[in-house]
Amino acid sequence: MIRKKLLFIINPKAGKAQIKNHLLEIIDIFIKAGYEVTVCITQEKGDAIRLVEKREDGYELLVCSGGDGTLDEVVTGMVKSRRSLPIGYIPAGSTNDFANSLRIPKNMKKAASAIVEGSPFACDIASFNRDIFVYVAAFGMFTDVSYGTDQEMKNVLGHMAYILEGMKSLTAVKAYSMRFSYDDTVIEGSFLFGMITNSVSVGGFKRITGKNVELNDGELEVTLVRMPASLAELNQLIGALMENNHENALISWFKTSRLQIESEEEIAWTLDGEYGGSHREVLIEDYKEAMQIMVPQK
């Protein structure tokens, strides 16, 4: 029997390193489904990009296990290689927002079975200047603590704990003078937080990205939060975000396929939970249905 070839990329440090407890069973699932499995274990940031970009021809399926940052690297490598393959994802991170959006099982063995028994879903991805992100680009408040926290800290703290860490003091909050241009609209002002997303949850919080989120509609959801004048307004903002309340005057929610961003100073960004550099000018564009990802059968 001629077996199909599967490349399996693993981030062994993701989450609580639970992949090591299930690895043989997962590989067995793939083999029983008719695949010849090649396993690659990442050692440092950027490894998954290089492994995917430089992979040999002949693979029919690419599977990764790790957090959303690992998936980001795999998709980036796929785009760089200009050789598209269906991607299977076994989530092993702290929050796994994108996996939750696709209803990929949290149980690793069930996720592996869903890959070989499921079907490909054509999903949007997005460009951030010259980079790629899968589900979120963000700046400002919360990002340093929720996305910039090192892996060991994420393993110890729940995502709620380290997001709440960023809410302790209004005096510690920095606002940025920015201009956002999309379609025929311009939004200007002083902003403490913003995110451009293709996900139903961010940081483990559901519905924070807006209403009627579709992952393959050719548009990204944008959430912009202006600087509050008091701690009371900050608390109201947080409540409005958690409750998906679009009536708060300090929050702008909209959808677009292309967003131009300008700021008076360089601003640090995070892309899918990893540092995305500091920028004064950013162009974000949606690539409709540019990624094939395996999802469970309905």
Side-chain angles (χ1 to χ4, degrees):
M1 181 179 71
I2 299 177
R3 289 185 171 271
K4 299 169 287 185
K5 294 180 67 176
L6 183 155
L7 180 60
F8 187 16
I9 296 175
I10 300 167
N11 177 355
K13 297 179 181 178
K16 297 180 180 179
Q18 58 178 316
I19 184 66
K20 65 183 180 182
N21 299 321
H22 306 288
L23 183 56
L24 293 180
E25 294 169 298
I26 290 170
I27 292 175
D28 188 57
I29 289 170
F30 294 154
I31 292 173
K32 283 183 167 62
Y35 287 97
E36 174 187 315
V37 182
T38 300
V39 177
C40 295
I41 298 176
T42 63
Q43 303 296 314
E44 59 186 11
K45 184 176 180 179
D47 274 359
I49 296 175
R50 292 188 290 271
L51 287 166
V52 176
E53 183 181 7
K54 305 300 183 183
R55 72 187 187 277
E56 296 178 353
D57 291 329
Y59 289 104
E60 297 183 45
L61 181 61
L62 198 160
V63 178
C64 66
S65 178
D68 292 330
T70 303
L71 178 63
D72 177 289
E73 287 199 7
V74 166
V75 175
T76 298
M78 191 79 74
V79 172
K80 285 178 173 287
S81 75
R82 299 187 179 183
R83 293 174 291 149
S84 183
L85 281 179
I87 296 173
Y89 183 32
I90 299 176
S94 302
T95 54
N96 302 311
D97 289 304
F98 194 66
N100 293 336
S101 297
L102 294 169
R103 295 185 171 84
I104 294 173
K106 295 180 181 179
N107 179 283
M108 287 187 158
K109 290 185 288 183
K110 290 182 179 179
S113 295
I115 290 169
V116 296
E117 297 169 2
S119 56
F121 170 69
C123 183
D124 294 0
I125 58 175
S127 64
F128 178 99
N129 290 344
R130 294 183 179 181
D131 290 321
I132 295 292
F133 69 94
V134 175
Y135 80 98
V136 60
F139 71 88
M141 186 181 181
F142 312 141
T143 56
D144 287 343
V145 288
S146 63
Y147 295 109
T149 307
D150 65 41
Q151 188 62 59
E152 290 187 3
M153 184 62 72
K154 288 182 179 181
N155 293 345
V156 173
L157 300 174
H159 53 261
M160 177 70 80
Y162 58 77
I163 287 179
L164 290 176
E165 185 70 23
M167 302 180 184
K168 285 184 176 179
S169 172
L170 186 60
T171 60
V173 174
K174 179 175 175 59
Y176 302 94
S177 180
M178 303 178 73
R179 173 187 173 98
F180 299 86
S181 306
Y182 68 100
D183 301 333
D184 296 322
T185 303
V186 174
I187 298 175
E188 294 181 293
S190 182
F191 297 87
L192 63 81
F193 173 73
M195 60 183 181
I196 298 88
T197 61
N198 191 40
S199 175
V200 298
S201 70
V202 170
F205 292 105
K206 293 184 177 180
R207 300 181 300 277
I208 197 173
T209 58
K211 298 178 180 178
N212 306 316
V213 176
E214 298 288 342
L215 305 186
N216 62 345
D217 61 359
E219 292 189 306
L220 300 162
E221 282 70 36
V222 182
T223 304
L224 303 176
V225 180
R226 294 179 184 271
M227 184 66 182
S230 65
L231 189 59
E233 280 194 358
L234 175 62
N235 290 331
Q236 292 172 3
L237 269 176
I238 293 167
L241 286 168
M242 296 305 116
E243 296 168 8
N244 195 19
N245 177 7
H246 288 227
E247 302 304 316
N248 191 291
L250 295 179
I251 305 176
S252 296
W253 257 299
F254 58 89
K255 289 176 159 251
T256 185
S257 61
R258 188 179 189 275
L259 180 64
Q260 181 78 46
I261 304 168
E262 301 164 90
S263 56
E264 292 185 355
E265 62 182 294
E266 286 197 341
I267 298 175
W269 286 78
T270 60
L271 306 179
D272 294 335
E274 304 295 333
Y275 178 60
S278 294
H279 308 270
R280 289 183 62 185
E281 295 186 3
V282 171
L283 176 62
I284 294 176
E285 295 181 287
D286 182 275
Y287 295 157
K288 182 175 170 61
E289 298 182 338
M291 173 178 68
Q292 295 278 335
I293 188 162
M294 304 301 294
V295 297
Q297 295 281 12
K298 292 182 180 180

